[in-house]
Amino acid sequence: MNQPEPKLARIDRAVAAALPRWGCSPAATAHMINHSENVTYRVDDREAGRTTILRVHRPGYHSEAAIRSELRWLDALRDEVGVVTAATVPARDGATIQTLGGDELAPPRYAVMFSFLAGAEPSEAALLEPFERLGEVSARLHGHARRWLLPDGFVRQTWDFDTMLGSRPIWGDWRAGMGLDVASEAQLQRLADAIQRRLRRYGQGADRFGLIHADLRLANLLLEGPTTKVIDFDDCGFGWYLYDLGAALSFIEDRPDVPDLIDAWVRGYRRVAPLDAADAAEIPTFILLRRLLLVAWIGSHAETNLAQSMGRAYTEGSCALAERYLERFA
């Protein structure tokens, strides 16, 4: 079921009360545009002639230091390699991170205002060209990450096997996925074991493992003419660079044109940076790593609309993909 309406209404009221902190006029309105874990609002202020995006963080996921680190990487990507990302809009006190609390919200929540980026999410009816552009921008992100000297105090989570499918899962235990029974759990356990073996062999060298977006799927891509824009770095952290390709295929891993989409991504990537054969050979592992992680996410976020829309069918489809992967790699 969905998050109870009274809780969302309290967030709405806290956001409305906080808008003056960013210099919004009394006529400014905040309209919720996304609620999965964070709650995101479009803020329209006609008097000021300004539209912005306000992200209200879920409690207990990121510290203030981790959010500040994300924002520093966004600034560096825009300034140093020209990746188009949303800029932060400081509040009137100069701070980019505000705390919303008081009687309306318990516990308090961090909030960040961003500039509004024009553009459209790619249509799933024609994905080859967007995937090629996604490969290009991914290569630019990874190239910057490999060169960037992390600022003092930079803190982000690590996406490795242990924190994804192992003993310290950030998004919950995949075994709590929707619709699992004894047989399907056993099959997905074989998949997890095979992924772990291959990732251990693949390694976490600096050329393969570093700072990544970690949720670089089509929903977080905006296209405006020839310009490719990247949004929502909330899950960014340290992980395998190829995991960004696995994330790009989130929820569409069983489309018949996936091989073509992978080829398009790799083609775009190689226009910017090398991707050797050993890396390319491991792409299926990262697709299934992401798929099993999403089984975990759906199970631990059953109250969200997205999780409910995927449900048991996503688990069943994961078992079918696992069977094909195990036949090839186990």
Side-chain angles (χ1 to χ4, degrees):
M1 56 186 235
N2 294 327
Q3 184 174 347
E5 178 60 29
K7 188 172 183 180
L8 285 176
R10 289 196 298 270
I11 299 172
D12 289 346
R13 290 193 294 270
V15 165
L19 290 182
R21 298 189 199 181
W22 287 276
C24 295
S25 75
T29 59
H31 173 68
M32 189 182 74
I33 57 175
N34 185 52
H35 162 232
S36 57
E37 295 177 299
N38 300 330
V39 186
T40 307
Y41 293 83
R42 173 177 168 143
V43 180
D44 292 297
D45 190 346
R46 292 183 180 178
E47 283 189 18
R50 184 178 74 169
T51 296
T52 51
I53 299 295
L54 181 66
R55 182 179 69 191
V56 180
H57 286 260
R58 57 199 178 278
Y61 189 55
H62 288 311
S63 66
E64 184 174 358
I67 297 170
R68 195 174 310 282
S69 298
E70 172 203 350
L71 303 181
R72 294 188 75 172
W73 192 31
L74 288 176
D75 290 342
L77 286 170
R78 281 194 314 278
D79 297 342
E80 297 174 15
V81 290
V83 174
V84 182
T85 65
T88 53
V89 179
R92 297 174 72 175
D93 64 4
T96 54
I97 303 172
Q98 296 288 309
T99 301
L100 307 187
D103 295 336
E104 290 290 351
L105 287 183
R109 295 175 177 235
Y110 295 118
V112 179
M113 189 78 82
F114 293 94
S115 61
F116 177 81
L117 292 180
E121 180 183 330
S123 167
E124 290 197 7
L127 291 183
L128 283 179
E129 195 262 347
F131 258 78
E132 196 163 330
R133 291 167 67 166
L134 187 55
E136 284 188 34
V137 75
S138 298
R140 285 204 288 274
L141 293 178
H142 299 165
H144 180 267
R146 289 184 175 103
R147 300 187 303 270
W148 194 40
L149 183 62
L150 295 180
D152 291 340
F154 190 92
V155 179
R156 292 301 296 182
Q157 58 204 358
T158 295
W159 297 101
D160 58 15
F161 184 85
D162 198 35
T163 58
M164 297 167 92
L165 305 181
S167 61
R168 297 183 294 113
I170 293 172
W171 283 356
D173 190 343
W174 63 264
R175 297 167 189 83
M178 290 187 183
L180 278 170
D181 56 22
V182 173
S184 57
E185 181 177 331
Q187 184 176 43
L188 293 184
Q189 183 64 64
R190 291 195 298 274
L191 173 64
D193 291 343
I195 290 172
Q196 184 178 27
R197 286 193 299 270
R198 294 193 69 87
L199 290 178
R200 189 180 294 124
R201 193 156 53 238
Y202 185 70
Q204 294 181 200
D207 57 332
R208 293 174 168 176
F209 195 97
L211 188 57
I212 59 172
H213 184 286
D215 195 24
L216 200 49
R217 54 197 174 95
L218 297 176
N220 292 327
L221 203 67
L222 295 174
L223 305 181
E224 186 181 30
T227 303
T228 304
K229 307 175 185 182
V230 185
I231 61 173
D232 195 0
F233 283 69
D234 185 51
D235 287 322
C236 74
F238 299 97
W240 289 279
Y241 292 117
L242 275 181
Y243 177 69
D244 273 341
L245 174 52
L249 291 163
S250 295
F251 307 115
I252 60 171
E253 304 93 339
D254 54 359
R255 281 176 55 131
D257 61 348
V258 160
D260 295 328
L261 299 180
I262 293 171
D263 288 344
W265 190 96
V266 170
R267 188 163 55 249
Y269 196 99
R270 284 176 169 159
R271 273 204 294 269
V272 176
L275 185 72
D276 66 27
D279 292 317
E282 213 56 61
I283 287 172
T285 297
F286 289 99
I287 295 172
L288 270 293
L289 172 64
R290 174 69 171 190
R291 178 84 184 202
L292 192 49
L293 182 64
L294 289 175
V295 170
W297 186 91
I298 290 169
S300 62
H301 295 73
E303 76 285 356
T304 65
N305 290 333
L306 179 56
Q308 292 170 27
S309 70
M310 306 309 294
R312 299 172 61 97
Y314 194 77
T315 302
E316 293 167 0
S318 301
C319 290
L321 290 172
E323 184 65 29
R324 294 201 291 271
Y325 178 87
L326 291 169
E327 288 174 357
R328 181 177 174 187
F329 294 108

